[in-house]
Coordinates of all heavy atoms in Angstrom, one line a residue:
M10 N 103.8 80.3 114.0 CA 105.2 80.4 114.4 C 105.3 79.7 115.8 O 104.6 80.2 116.7 CB 105.6 81.8 114.4 CG 107.1 81.9 114.5 SD 107.9 83.4 113.9 CE 106.8 84.7 114.6
S11 N 106.1 78.8 116.0 CA 106.2 78.1 117.3 C 107.1 78.8 118.2 O 108.1 79.5 117.7 CB 106.6 76.7 117.1 OG 108.0 76.6 116.8
L12 N 107.1 78.6 119.5 CA 107.9 79.2 120.5 C 109.3 78.7 120.3 O 110.3 79.4 120.4 CB 107.4 78.8 121.9 CG 106.3 79.7 122.5 CD1 106.0 79.4 123.9 CD2 106.7 81.2 122.4
A13 N 109.4 77.3 120.0 CA 110.7 76.8 119.8 C 111.5 77.5 118.7 O 112.7 77.8 118.8 CB 110.6 75.2 119.4
F14 N 110.8 77.8 117.6 CA 111.3 78.5 116.5 C 111.8 79.9 116.9 O 113.0 80.3 116.5 CB 110.2 78.7 115.4 CG 110.7 79.5 114.3 CD1 111.6 79.0 113.3 CD2 110.2 80.9 114.1 CE1 111.9 79.8 112.2 CE2 110.6 81.6 113.1 CZ 111.5 81.1 112.1
I15 N 111.0 80.6 117.7 CA 111.4 81.9 118.2 C 112.7 81.8 119.0 O 113.6 82.6 118.9 CB 110.3 82.6 119.0 CG1 109.1 82.9 118.0 CG2 110.7 83.8 119.7 CD1 107.9 83.3 118.8
F16 N 112.7 80.8 119.9 CA 113.9 80.7 120.8 C 115.1 80.4 119.9 O 116.2 80.9 120.2 CB 113.7 79.5 121.7 CG 112.9 80.0 123.0 CD1 111.7 79.4 123.2 CD2 113.5 81.0 123.8 CE1 111.1 79.9 124.4 CE2 112.8 81.5 124.9 CZ 111.6 80.9 125.2
K17 N 114.9 79.5 119.0 CA 116.1 79.1 118.1 C 116.7 80.4 117.4 O 117.8 80.6 117.3 CB 115.7 78.0 117.1 CG 116.8 77.2 116.6 CD 116.4 76.1 115.8 CE 117.5 75.6 115.0 NZ 117.1 75.0 113.6
R18 N 115.8 81.1 116.8 CA 116.1 82.4 116.1 C 116.7 83.3 117.0 O 117.6 84.0 116.6 CB 114.9 82.9 115.4 CG 114.6 82.4 114.0 CD 113.8 83.3 113.2 NE 114.6 84.6 113.0 CZ 114.5 85.2 111.8 NH1 113.8 84.7 110.8 NH2 115.0 86.4 111.6
S19 N 116.3 83.5 118.1 CA 116.8 84.5 119.1 C 118.2 84.2 119.5 O 119.0 85.1 119.5 CB 115.9 84.4 120.4 OG 116.2 83.4 121.1
T20 N 118.6 82.9 119.6 CA 120.0 82.6 119.8 C 120.9 83.0 118.6 O 121.9 83.5 118.8 CB 120.2 81.1 120.2 OG1 119.1 80.4 119.7 CG2 120.3 80.9 121.7
Q21 N 120.4 82.7 117.5 CA 121.3 83.1 116.3 C 121.4 84.4 116.2 O 122.5 85.0 115.9 CB 120.5 82.5 115.0 CG 120.6 81.0 115.0 CD 119.6 80.4 114.0 OE1 118.7 81.1 113.5 NE2 119.7 79.1 113.7
M22 N 120.3 85.3 116.3 CA 120.4 86.7 116.1 C 121.2 87.3 117.3 O 122.0 88.2 117.1 CB 119.0 87.3 116.1 CG 118.2 87.0 114.9 SD 116.8 87.9 114.6 CE 115.8 87.3 116.0
G23 N 121.0 86.8 118.5 CA 121.7 87.3 119.6 C 123.1 87.2 119.5 O 123.9 88.1 119.8
L24 N 123.6 86.1 119.1 CA 125.1 85.7 118.9 C 125.7 86.8 118.1 O 126.7 87.4 118.4 CB 125.2 84.4 118.4 CG 126.6 83.7 118.6 CD1 126.7 83.5 120.1 CD2 126.7 82.4 117.8
L25 N 125.1 87.2 117.0 CA 125.6 88.1 116.0 C 125.7 89.5 116.7 O 126.8 90.2 116.7 CB 124.8 88.3 114.8 CG 125.0 87.2 113.8 CD1 124.0 87.4 112.6 CD2 126.5 87.3 113.2
S26 N 124.7 89.9 117.4 CA 124.7 91.3 117.9 C 125.6 91.5 119.1 O 125.9 92.5 119.5 CB 123.2 91.7 118.2 OG 122.7 90.9 119.2
F27 N 125.9 90.4 119.8 CA 126.7 90.4 121.0 C 128.1 90.5 120.7 O 129.0 90.7 121.5 CB 126.3 89.4 122.0 CG 125.0 89.4 122.5 CD1 124.3 88.3 123.0 CD2 124.3 90.6 122.5 CE1 123.0 88.3 123.5 CE2 122.9 90.7 122.9 CZ 122.3 89.5 123.4
L28 N 128.5 90.1 119.5 CA 129.9 90.0 119.1 C 130.4 91.5 118.8 O 129.7 92.3 118.4 CB 130.1 89.2 117.9 CG 129.9 87.7 118.0 CD1 130.0 87.1 116.6 CD2 131.0 87.1 118.9
F29 N 131.8 91.7 119.1 CA 132.4 92.9 118.7 C 131.9 94.2 119.4 O 131.8 95.2 118.8 CB 132.4 93.1 117.2 CG 132.9 91.8 116.4 CD1 132.1 91.2 115.5 CD2 134.2 91.4 116.7 CE1 132.6 90.1 114.9 CE2 134.7 90.2 116.0 CZ 133.8 89.6 115.2
Q30 N 131.4 94.1 120.5 CA 130.8 95.2 121.3 C 131.8 95.6 122.3 O 132.5 94.7 123.0 CB 129.5 94.9 121.8 CG 128.5 94.7 120.7 CD 127.1 95.0 121.2 OE1 126.9 95.6 122.2 NE2 126.1 94.7 120.4
P31 N 131.9 97.0 122.6 CA 132.9 97.3 123.7 C 132.4 96.9 125.0 O 131.3 96.6 125.3 CB 132.8 98.9 123.6 CG 131.5 99.2 122.9 CD 131.2 98.0 122.0
K32 N 133.4 96.7 125.9 CA 133.0 96.2 127.2 C 132.3 97.3 128.0 O 132.8 98.4 128.2 CB 134.4 95.9 128.1 CG 134.0 95.1 129.3 CD 135.4 94.5 129.8 CE 135.3 94.1 131.3 NZ 134.2 93.2 131.5
P33 N 131.1 97.0 128.6 CA 130.3 98.0 129.2 C 130.7 98.0 130.8 O 131.4 97.1 131.2 CB 128.9 97.4 129.0 CG 129.1 95.9 129.1 CD 130.5 95.6 128.5
H34 N 130.2 99.0 131.4 CA 130.3 98.9 132.8 C 129.2 98.0 133.3 O 128.2 97.9 132.7 CB 130.1 100.3 133.5 CG 128.9 101.1 133.0 ND1 127.8 101.4 134.0 CD2 128.5 101.5 131.9 CE1 127.0 102.0 133.3 NE2 127.3 102.1 132.0
E35 N 129.5 97.2 134.4 CA 128.6 96.1 134.7 C 127.5 96.5 135.5 O 127.5 96.4 136.8 CB 129.6 95.0 135.5 CG 130.5 94.4 134.7 CD 130.0 93.4 133.6 OE1 129.1 92.7 133.9 OE2 130.4 93.5 132.4
V36 N 126.4 97.0 134.8 CA 125.1 97.3 135.6 C 124.2 96.1 135.2 O 123.9 95.8 134.0 CB 124.6 98.6 135.1 CG1 123.2 98.9 135.9 CG2 125.5 99.7 135.4
K37 N 123.7 95.4 136.2 CA 122.8 94.3 135.9 C 121.3 94.7 136.1 O 121.0 95.4 137.1 CB 123.1 93.1 136.8 CG 124.6 92.7 136.8 CD 124.7 91.6 135.7 CE 126.0 91.0 135.8 NZ 126.2 89.9 134.8
R38 N 120.6 94.3 135.1 CA 119.1 94.6 135.3 C 118.3 93.3 135.0 O 118.7 92.5 134.2 CB 118.7 95.7 134.1 CG 119.8 96.7 134.0 CD 119.6 97.4 132.7 NE 118.5 98.3 132.8 CZ 118.6 99.7 133.0 NH1 119.7 100.2 133.1 NH2 117.5 100.4 133.0
P39 N 117.3 93.2 135.7 CA 116.5 92.0 135.5 C 115.5 92.1 134.2 O 115.0 93.1 133.9 CB 115.5 92.0 136.8 CG 115.3 93.4 137.2 CD 116.6 94.1 136.7
C40 N 115.4 91.0 133.5 CA 114.5 90.8 132.4 C 113.1 90.9 132.9 O 112.7 90.3 133.8 CB 114.8 89.5 131.6 SG 113.6 89.0 130.4
F41 N 112.3 91.6 132.1 CA 110.9 91.8 132.5 C 110.2 90.5 132.5 O 109.2 90.2 133.3 CB 110.3 92.8 131.5 CG 108.8 93.0 131.7 CD1 108.3 93.7 132.8 CD2 107.8 92.3 130.9 CE1 106.9 93.8 133.0 CE2 106.4 92.4 131.1 CZ 106.0 93.3 132.2
H42 N 110.5 89.5 131.5 CA 109.9 88.3 131.4 C 110.3 87.3 132.3 O 109.6 86.7 133.1 CB 109.8 87.9 130.0 CG 109.1 86.5 129.8 ND1 107.8 86.3 130.0 CD2 109.6 85.2 129.6 CE1 107.5 85.0 129.9 NE2 108.6 84.4 129.6
C43 N 111.6 86.9 132.2 CA 112.2 85.7 132.9 C 113.0 86.1 134.2 O 113.3 85.2 134.9 CB 113.0 84.9 131.9 SG 114.6 85.6 131.5
G44 N 113.2 87.4 134.4 CA 113.9 87.8 135.6 C 115.5 87.6 135.5 O 116.2 87.9 136.4
E45 N 116.0 87.0 134.4 CA 117.4 86.9 134.2 C 118.1 88.2 134.3 O 117.7 89.2 133.7 CB 117.6 86.3 132.8 CG 119.0 86.0 132.4 CD 119.5 84.7 132.9 OE1 118.7 83.8 133.2 OE2 120.8 84.5 132.9
L46 N 119.2 88.3 135.0 CA 120.0 89.5 135.2 C 120.8 89.6 133.9 O 121.4 88.7 133.5 CB 120.9 89.4 136.4 CG 120.2 89.6 137.7 CD1 121.2 89.5 138.9 CD2 119.4 90.9 137.8
M47 N 120.8 90.8 133.3 CA 121.5 91.0 132.0 C 122.3 92.3 132.1 O 122.0 93.2 132.9 CB 120.5 91.2 131.0 CG 119.4 92.1 131.2 SD 118.0 91.9 130.1 CE 116.8 93.0 130.9
R48 N 123.4 92.4 131.4 CA 124.2 93.6 131.3 C 123.4 94.6 130.5 O 122.6 94.2 129.7 CB 125.5 93.2 130.6 CG 126.5 92.5 131.5 CD 127.6 91.9 130.6 NE 127.0 91.0 129.7 CZ 127.6 90.1 129.0 NH1 129.0 90.2 129.1 NH2 127.1 89.3 128.2
E49 N 123.8 95.9 130.8 CA 122.9 97.0 130.3 C 123.0 96.9 128.8 O 122.0 97.1 128.1 CB 123.5 98.3 130.8 CG 122.5 99.4 130.8 CD 123.0 100.6 131.6 OE1 124.1 100.6 131.9 OE2 122.2 101.5 131.8
R50 N 124.1 96.5 128.2 CA 124.2 96.5 126.7 C 123.4 95.4 126.1 O 123.1 95.4 124.9 CB 125.7 96.4 126.3 CG 126.3 95.0 126.7 CD 127.5 94.6 125.9 NE 128.0 93.4 126.5 CZ 128.9 92.7 125.8 NH1 129.3 92.9 124.6 NH2 129.3 91.5 126.4
D51 N 123.0 94.4 126.8 CA 122.2 93.3 126.4 C 120.7 93.5 126.4 O 119.9 92.8 125.9 CB 122.5 92.0 127.2 CG 123.9 91.6 127.0 OD1 124.6 92.0 125.9 OD2 124.5 90.9 127.8
V52 N 120.3 94.7 127.1 CA 118.9 95.0 127.2 C 118.2 95.2 125.9 O 118.7 96.0 125.1 CB 118.8 96.2 128.2 CG1 117.3 96.7 128.1 CG2 119.1 95.8 129.6
L53 N 117.1 94.5 125.6 CA 116.3 94.8 124.5 C 115.0 95.5 125.0 O 114.5 95.2 126.1 CB 115.9 93.5 123.8 CG 117.0 92.7 123.3 CD1 116.6 91.4 122.7 CD2 117.7 93.5 122.1
L54 N 114.5 96.4 124.2 CA 113.2 97.0 124.7 C 112.1 96.5 123.9 O 112.2 96.4 122.6 CB 113.3 98.6 124.4 CG 114.1 99.3 125.5 CD1 114.1 100.7 125.2 CD2 113.6 99.1 126.9
Q55 N 111.0 96.0 124.6 CA 109.8 95.5 123.8 C 108.6 96.2 124.4 O 108.4 96.2 125.7 CB 109.8 94.0 124.1 CG 108.5 93.4 123.5 CD 108.4 93.6 122.0 OE1 109.3 93.4 121.2 NE2 107.2 94.1 121.6
T56 N 107.8 96.8 123.6 CA 106.6 97.4 124.1 C 105.6 96.3 124.4 O 105.3 95.4 123.7 CB 106.0 98.3 122.9 OG1 106.9 99.3 122.5 CG2 104.8 99.1 123.5
F57 N 105.2 96.4 125.7 CA 104.1 95.4 126.2 C 103.3 96.1 127.2 O 103.8 96.7 128.1 CB 104.9 94.3 126.8 CG 104.0 93.2 127.4 CD1 103.3 92.3 126.7 CD2 103.8 93.2 128.8 CE1 102.4 91.4 127.2 CE2 103.0 92.2 129.4 CZ 102.2 91.4 128.6
D58 N 101.9 95.8 127.1 CA 101.0 96.3 128.1 C 101.2 97.8 128.3 O 101.1 98.3 129.4 CB 101.2 95.6 129.4 CG 99.9 95.5 130.2 OD1 98.9 95.8 129.7 OD2 100.1 95.1 131.5
G59 N 101.4 98.6 127.2 CA 101.4 100.0 127.2 C 102.7 100.7 127.7 O 102.7 101.9 127.9
A60 N 103.8 99.9 127.8 CA 105.1 100.5 128.2 C 106.2 99.8 127.5 O 106.0 98.6 127.2 CB 105.2 100.6 129.7
A61 N 107.3 100.4 127.5 CA 108.6 99.7 127.0 C 109.1 98.9 128.1 O 109.4 99.4 129.2 CB 109.5 100.8 126.5
R62 N 109.3 97.6 127.8 CA 109.8 96.7 128.9 C 111.2 96.2 128.5 O 111.5 96.0 127.3 CB 109.0 95.4 128.9 CG 107.4 95.7 129.0 CD 107.1 96.4 130.3 NE 105.7 96.6 130.5 CZ 105.0 97.2 131.5 NH1 105.8 97.5 132.6 NH2 103.8 97.2 131.6
E63 N 112.0 96.1 129.5 CA 113.4 95.5 129.2 C 113.5 94.0 129.3 O 113.1 93.5 130.3 CB 114.4 96.1 130.2 CG 114.4 97.6 130.2 CD 115.4 98.3 131.3 OE1 115.6 97.6 132.3 OE2 115.8 99.4 131.1
V64 N 113.9 93.4 128.3 CA 114.0 92.0 128.2 C 115.4 91.6 127.8 O 116.1 92.4 127.2 CB 112.9 91.4 127.3 CG1 111.5 91.6 127.7 CG2 113.1 91.9 125.8
C65 N 115.7 90.3 128.1 CA 117.1 89.8 127.9 C 117.4 89.3 126.5 O 118.5 89.2 126.1 CB 117.4 88.8 128.9 SG 116.4 87.3 128.7
C66 N 116.3 88.9 125.8 CA 116.6 88.2 124.5 C 115.4 88.4 123.6 O 114.3 88.6 124.1 CB 117.1 86.8 124.7 SG 115.7 85.8 125.4
H67 N 115.5 88.0 122.3 CA 114.5 88.0 121.5 C 113.4 86.9 121.8 O 112.3 87.1 121.4 CB 115.0 87.8 120.0 CG 115.8 88.9 119.5 ND1 115.3 90.1 119.0 CD2 117.1 89.2 119.5 CE1 116.2 91.0 118.7 NE2 117.3 90.4 118.9
G68 N 113.8 85.9 122.5 CA 112.9 84.8 122.9 C 111.8 85.5 123.9 O 110.6 85.3 123.7
C69 N 112.3 86.2 124.9 CA 111.5 86.8 125.9 C 110.6 87.9 125.1 O 109.4 88.0 125.4 CB 112.2 87.5 127.0 SG 112.9 86.2 128.2
A70 N 111.2 88.7 124.3 CA 110.5 89.7 123.6 C 109.3 89.1 122.7 O 108.2 89.6 122.7 CB 111.5 90.5 122.6
G71 N 109.7 88.0 122.1 CA 108.7 87.2 121.3 C 107.5 86.7 122.1 O 106.4 86.8 121.6
I72 N 107.8 86.3 123.3 CA 106.8 85.8 124.1 C 105.8 87.0 124.5 O 104.6 86.8 124.5 CB 107.3 85.1 125.5 CG1 107.9 83.8 125.0 CG2 106.3 85.0 126.5 CD1 108.8 83.3 126.1
L73 N 106.4 88.1 124.8 CA 105.6 89.2 125.1 C 104.7 89.7 124.0 O 103.5 90.0 124.1 CB 106.4 90.5 125.6 CG 107.2 90.3 126.9 CD1 107.9 91.5 127.2 CD2 106.2 89.9 128.0
I74 N 105.3 89.6 122.8 CA 104.5 89.9 121.5 C 103.3 89.0 121.3 O 102.2 89.3 121.1 CB 105.4 89.9 120.3 CG1 106.4 91.0 120.3 CG2 104.6 90.0 119.0 CD1 107.6 90.8 119.2
L75 N 103.6 87.7 121.6 CA 102.5 86.7 121.5 C 101.5 86.9 122.5 O 100.3 86.8 122.1 CB 103.2 85.3 121.7 CG 104.0 84.7 120.6 CD1 104.5 83.3 121.0 CD2 103.3 84.6 119.3
I76 N 101.8 87.2 123.7 CA 100.9 87.3 124.7 C 100.0 88.6 124.4 O 98.7 88.6 124.5 CB 101.5 87.6 126.1 CG1 102.2 86.4 126.6 CG2 100.5 88.1 127.1 CD1 103.2 86.5 127.7
E77 N 100.6 89.7 123.9 CA 99.9 90.8 123.6 C 99.0 90.6 122.4 O 97.8 91.0 122.4 CB 100.7 92.0 123.3 CG 100.0 93.3 123.3 CD 101.0 94.5 123.7 OE1 101.8 94.9 122.9 OE2 100.8 95.0 124.8
N78 N 99.4 89.8 121.4 CA 98.7 89.5 120.2 C 97.4 88.7 120.6 O 96.4 88.9 120.0 CB 99.5 88.7 119.2 CG 100.4 89.6 118.5 OD1 100.3 90.8 118.5 ND2 101.3 89.0 117.7
D79 N 97.6 87.9 121.6 CA 96.4 87.0 122.0 C 95.7 87.7 123.1 O 94.6 87.2 123.6 CB 97.0 85.7 122.6 CG 97.5 84.8 121.5 OD1 97.2 85.1 120.4 OD2 98.2 83.8 121.9
G80 N 96.0 89.0 123.4 CA 95.2 89.8 124.5 C 95.2 89.1 125.9 O 94.3 89.2 126.6
M81 N 96.4 88.6 126.1 CA 96.5 87.8 127.5 C 97.3 88.6 128.5 O 97.7 88.1 129.5 CB 97.2 86.5 127.2 CG 96.6 85.5 126.2 SD 95.2 84.7 126.9 CE 96.1 83.5 127.9
Q82 N 97.4 89.9 128.4 CA 98.1 90.7 129.2 C 97.6 90.6 130.7 O 98.4 90.5 131.7 CB 98.1 92.2 128.9 CG 98.7 92.6 127.5 CD 97.7 92.6 126.4 OE1 96.9 91.8 126.3 NE2 97.8 93.6 125.7
L83 N 96.3 90.6 130.9 CA 95.8 90.5 132.2 C 96.1 89.2 132.9 O 96.5 89.3 134.1 CB 94.2 90.6 132.0 CG 93.5 91.3 133.3 CD1 93.7 92.8 133.3 CD2 92.1 91.0 133.3
E84 N 96.0 88.1 132.1 CA 96.4 86.8 132.7 C 97.9 86.8 133.1 O 98.2 86.2 134.1 CB 96.0 85.7 131.7 CG 94.6 85.4 131.6 CD 93.7 86.4 130.8 OE1 94.4 87.3 130.3 OE2 92.6 86.1 130.6
Y85 N 98.7 87.4 132.1 CA 100.1 87.4 132.4 C 100.4 88.1 133.7 O 101.2 87.7 134.4 CB 100.7 88.1 131.2 CG 102.2 88.1 131.2 CD1 103.0 87.0 130.9 CD2 102.9 89.4 131.5 CE1 104.3 87.1 131.1 CE2 104.3 89.4 131.5 CZ 104.9 88.2 131.3 OH 106.4 88.3 131.4
R86 N 99.8 89.3 133.9 CA 100.0 90.1 135.1 C 99.6 89.4 136.3 O 100.3 89.3 137.3 CB 99.2 91.4 135.0 CG 100.1 92.6 135.0 CD 99.3 93.9 134.8 NE 98.6 94.1 133.5 CZ 97.6 94.9 133.4 NH1 97.0 95.5 134.4 NH2 97.1 94.9 132.2
K87 N 98.5 88.6 136.2 CA 98.0 87.8 137.4 C 99.0 86.7 137.7 O 99.4 86.6 138.9 CB 96.6 87.2 137.1 CG 95.4 88.0 137.4 CD 94.2 87.3 137.3 CE 93.1 88.1 136.6 NZ 92.1 87.3 135.9
M88 N 99.5 86.1 136.7 CA 100.5 85.0 136.8 C 101.7 85.5 137.5 O 102.3 84.9 138.4 CB 100.8 84.4 135.5 CG 101.4 83.1 135.4 SD 101.8 82.6 133.7 CE 103.2 83.7 133.4
R89 N 102.2 86.7 137.0 CA 103.4 87.2 137.7 C 103.2 87.6 139.2 O 104.1 87.5 139.9 CB 103.8 88.5 136.9 CG 104.3 88.2 135.5 CD 104.5 89.6 134.8 NE 105.3 90.5 135.4 CZ 106.6 90.6 135.3 NH1 107.2 89.8 134.3 NH2 107.3 91.4 135.9
M90 N 102.1 88.1 139.5 CA 101.8 88.4 140.9 C 101.8 87.2 141.7 O 102.1 87.3 142.9 CB 100.5 89.3 140.9 CG 100.6 90.7 140.5 SD 99.0 91.5 140.3 CE 98.4 91.6 142.0
Q91 N 101.2 86.1 141.2 CA 101.1 84.9 142.0 C 102.5 84.3 142.3 O 102.8 83.9 143.3 CB 100.3 83.9 141.2 CG 98.9 84.1 141.4 CD 98.0 83.3 140.4 OE1 98.6 82.4 139.7 NE2 96.7 83.6 140.3
K92 N 103.4 84.5 141.2 CA 104.8 84.0 141.3 C 105.6 84.8 142.4 O 106.4 84.2 143.1 CB 105.5 84.1 139.9 CG 105.9 82.8 139.4 CD 106.9 82.9 138.3 CE 106.4 83.0 136.9 NZ 107.4 83.2 135.9
A93 N 105.3 86.1 142.5 CA 106.1 87.0 143.3 C 105.9 86.8 144.7 O 104.9 86.2 145.2 CB 105.9 88.4 142.9
Ligands
LIG113 ZN1 114.3 87.0 129.6

């Protein structure tokens, strides 16, 4: 399964679930993976590295799944620390 495929699917699935939802109060939270600020109702929970992480979309969730499947959590954590 390619990353492009995951991203494409995530937009399709995302569109459906974001329709017809009540207006939330505007609390913005950063995505665990990409840092994108998201409304509270858009938050997805993805288990990664031993805890539930808040991500903005199925694309970011899919990346965390891939990283964990490949056992790359340590590298991922290092990469994030370098970026910050
Ligand atoms: Zn994200």
